Amino acid sequence: MKYLGLSFAAGLVGALGFAPIGLWPLAIISLGVLLWLVDRAPNLRSALARGWWFGFGQFALGLNWIATAFTYQAAMPAWLGWVAVILLSLYLAVYPAAAAGLAWRWGRRNALVFVLLFAAAWIVTEWLRGTLFTGFPWNPVGVSLIETIFSWPAPWIGTYGLSGLAVLLAGVLMLIHRDDQRRSGAAVALAIFAFCATAWAVAAAAPDGQPGGAVRIVQPNIGQQNKWDPGFREENFRRQQRLTGAPLAEPRLVLWPEAATPDFIGVDRGARARIAGLIGPRDLILLGAVELVFGPTGVTDAAYNSLFALDANGRIVGRYDKAHLVPYGEYLPMRPFLSTLGISRLAPGDKDFLSGPGPRNIDLPGFGTAGIQICYEIIFSGDVVSDSERPDFIFNPSNDAWFGAWGPPQHLAQARLRALEEGLPVLRATPTGISAVIDDQGRLLHALPSGVEGVIDARLPPAGAATLFARFGNALPFLFAIMLVAGAVAVRRKTG
């Protein structure tokens, strides 16, 4: 039992490696403890249990912001949020358990083989976590490296490959702890640093593009408790009106957050005209709103969580419908059963949102082509850019107002990884923070912290050249995993 308790404690410590705490060495050290514990497991069942308890500890602490979301739903008690966190963590812990079990089963007789197979298994199981049952890839281990030199290979191996790299770094700690494996540990460390240095050199040699048009990002600091309150409707609009500001001598791209207005602007011309009246004659405004779907009798059947692009005449020049919906937030799984228990979705309204067709671009004359990813969609590595056309930038309108203190910085870190993977700038507009401008290298150029009203005035960062990941997607981390397995096989044959 003491080893299971140590596994759980290591997972808790590992959660501190992610934002907002951001002590990334703790993520690596905790993984090193996990590898050591699994390597010492007497049987497969014990190895699986140690991996599971590690995952349970890491997710239970790291996902604490989910509990905060439930406090905004009057139909459910606040304590139910912690039940949701625990239940979700019980499930998500299956994936690190699977990685631990695979590595123990096939690599336990050789420490270096064990490390290589653990890294390969982690890549595959983390990808599965982001894919199965609509996926929940929040806080992949690789995102803890976003502020370090170890993030530089992301354009080559993607987020899941970075997670495998994190496991290799942890493996170095395990190997050098053993007298008979210190040379192996040093060799793995040298290979990692050479790989990262090469990635940095390639990125540094890329020519810089020219900045684009003027952009204003609006963060009105409208809390979730006021967003849908009819009594605050006019105040909310006036706040966004004031922050939108006066036109410039040049065209502007004005960016409002997800669900920026309660008006159904797809069918309400007056609402569109009112919003369009806030911008200059050559400006464009992008904002989130609900798009209604009407049945044959004219009754509302369903709705989309949408992004609209409007010109100064109130004309809709583009629309995007969110594809990756949040379970229990934007739709209720098993609705007939859960509804009888009094459980409702967290977003207001009694109808589920429909899912859009996936990544689509909107052409914005004077500003290029925007790829749109609404809120939660930005966390899905390899699924944020249209297959048919590479955009000039990604706009990520979001509503992080109900994500507590830990959710918004974690969300931002994952958006930075998407920028680095794809070689595209990412612009974020949120009602309460963290709004940001991120360049194609994943660097944070401008940001407004949570709980602050304000604007970001910036130039649109240039797009980089299409990265390897932009061309081949998650085939690359799988290729990396195959190379790790091949290396493990080679080591086993050489050492017997």
Side-chain angles (χ1 to χ4, degrees):
M1 288 298 294
K2 70 175 183 179
Y3 289 111
L4 298 184
L6 186 55
S7 298
F8 178 70
L12 291 175
V13 171
L16 303 179
F18 299 94
I21 307 301
L23 298 175
W24 69 267
L26 294 182
I28 304 303
I29 293 170
S30 68
L31 278 172
V33 173
L34 174 63
L35 266 65
W36 178 78
L37 288 167
V38 174
D39 185 48
R40 292 170 61 90
N43 51 53
L44 178 59
R45 181 177 178 179
S46 180
L48 289 166
R50 295 175 189 191
W52 186 89
W53 277 101
F54 174 89
F56 179 58
Q58 185 175 94
F59 291 121
L61 179 56
L63 299 178
N64 68 77
W65 56 269
I66 292 176
T68 305
F70 278 74
T71 65
Y72 294 103
Q73 173 53 265
M76 290 178 279
W79 58 262
L80 192 61
W82 280 107
V83 173
V85 171
I86 297 302
L87 291 177
L88 179 60
S89 300
L90 292 175
Y91 159 67
L92 295 176
V94 168
Y95 296 99
L102 288 168
W104 185 92
R105 174 64 180 82
W106 301 105
R108 66 186 184 278
R109 295 187 180 89
N110 183 296
L112 180 56
V113 170
F114 173 77
V115 168
L116 295 174
L117 291 181
F118 208 123
W122 196 279
I123 290 170
V124 175
T125 56
E126 204 168 71
W127 175 83
L128 287 171
R129 174 163 71 89
T131 305
L132 296 179
F133 311 115
T134 76
F136 188 71
W138 195 278
N139 274 0
V141 172
V143 79
S144 67
L145 304 177
I146 188 62
E147 295 283 4
T148 75
I149 63 172
F150 304 111
S151 68
W152 292 338
W156 296 355
I157 59 175
T159 293
Y160 302 122
L162 282 190
S163 293
L165 198 65
V167 174
L168 290 178
L169 287 168
V172 169
L173 298 180
M174 179 189 138
L175 293 171
I176 62 177
H177 181 71
R178 297 177 51 155
D179 293 339
D180 61 332
Q181 293 291 335
R182 287 179 178 170
R183 292 182 62 183
S184 296
V188 173
L190 182 62
I192 291 172
F193 278 99
F195 184 45
C196 293
T198 303
W200 173 83
V202 170
D208 293 329
Q210 294 298 315
V215 173
R216 168 163 283 205
I217 297 175
V218 171
Q219 181 172 299
N221 196 29
I222 298 172
Q224 190 67 18
Q225 68 277 13
N226 298 331
K227 175 175 282 292
W228 304 105
D229 188 334
F232 284 87
R233 183 167 182 160
E234 285 304 311
E235 168 58 26
N236 293 343
F237 182 82
R238 284 194 295 268
R239 188 175 298 187
Q240 293 182 113
Q241 177 185 31
R242 183 178 70 254
L243 294 173
T244 298
L248 303 177
E250 62 177 321
R252 293 184 309 165
L253 182 62
V254 178
L255 304 177
W256 284 11
E258 177 189 17
T261 175
D263 294 315
F264 303 116
I265 63 175
V267 296
D268 189 340
R269 293 184 180 180
R272 291 201 303 269
R274 188 185 188 200
I275 294 170
L278 305 180
I279 61 176
R282 296 184 296 165
D283 294 348
L284 295 173
I285 183 169
L286 274 59
L287 73 156
V290 172
E291 171 71 355
L292 299 177
V293 178
F294 296 95
T297 61
V299 177
T300 304
D301 275 353
Y304 289 102
N305 184 355
S306 300
L307 182 285
F308 291 87
L310 303 180
D311 65 14
N313 296 316
R315 184 171 62 95
I316 298 174
V317 297
R319 191 187 102 202
Y320 169 82
D321 300 323
K322 186 176 182 181
H324 273 293
L325 302 177
V326 182
Y328 303 98
E330 294 168 312
Y331 72 96
L332 190 65
M334 302 180 293
R335 174 172 283 279
F337 170 71
L338 294 179
S339 294
T340 61
L341 300 179
I343 296 176
S344 62
R345 69 176 211 207
L346 297 177
D350 59 354
K351 294 185 181 297
D352 289 336
F353 284 111
L354 298 176
S355 179
R360 296 289 187 275
N361 298 334
I362 295 177
D363 186 35
L364 303 172
F367 300 96
T369 303
I372 311 298
Q373 291 289 290
I374 298 177
C375 194
Y376 170 79
E377 292 186 301
I378 200 68
I379 72 173
F380 289 87
S381 174
D383 195 25
V384 299
V385 172
S386 170
D387 293 332
S388 60
E389 181 188 8
R390 177 175 166 82
D392 296 303
F393 67 96
I394 296 173
F395 177 42
N396 176 220
S398 185
N399 179 13
D400 295 358
W402 49 2
F403 283 9
W406 285 41
Q410 290 176 4
H411 206 181
L412 174 65
Q414 291 168 98
R416 292 177 63 187
L417 260 189
R418 298 295 85 75
L420 184 55
E421 283 177 337
E422 301 287 348
L424 290 172
V426 174
L427 280 60
R428 303 192 77 234
T430 71
T432 58
I434 304 170
S435 301
V437 176
I438 305 164
D439 75 2
D440 63 308
Q441 297 294 314
R443 293 172 296 207
L444 199 59
L445 302 183
H446 308 278
L448 286 170
S450 295
V452 171
E453 177 185 321
V455 299
I456 296 174
D457 286 315
R459 312 298 300 190
L460 186 62
T467 64
L468 280 176
F469 187 84
R471 295 170 182 166
F472 301 105
N474 281 319
L476 295 177
F478 273 93
L479 178 60
F480 184 34
I482 291 170
M483 292 172 64
L484 291 171
V485 172
V489 171
V491 170
R492 174 168 287 171
R493 286 182 176 177
K494 182 177 180 179
T495 58

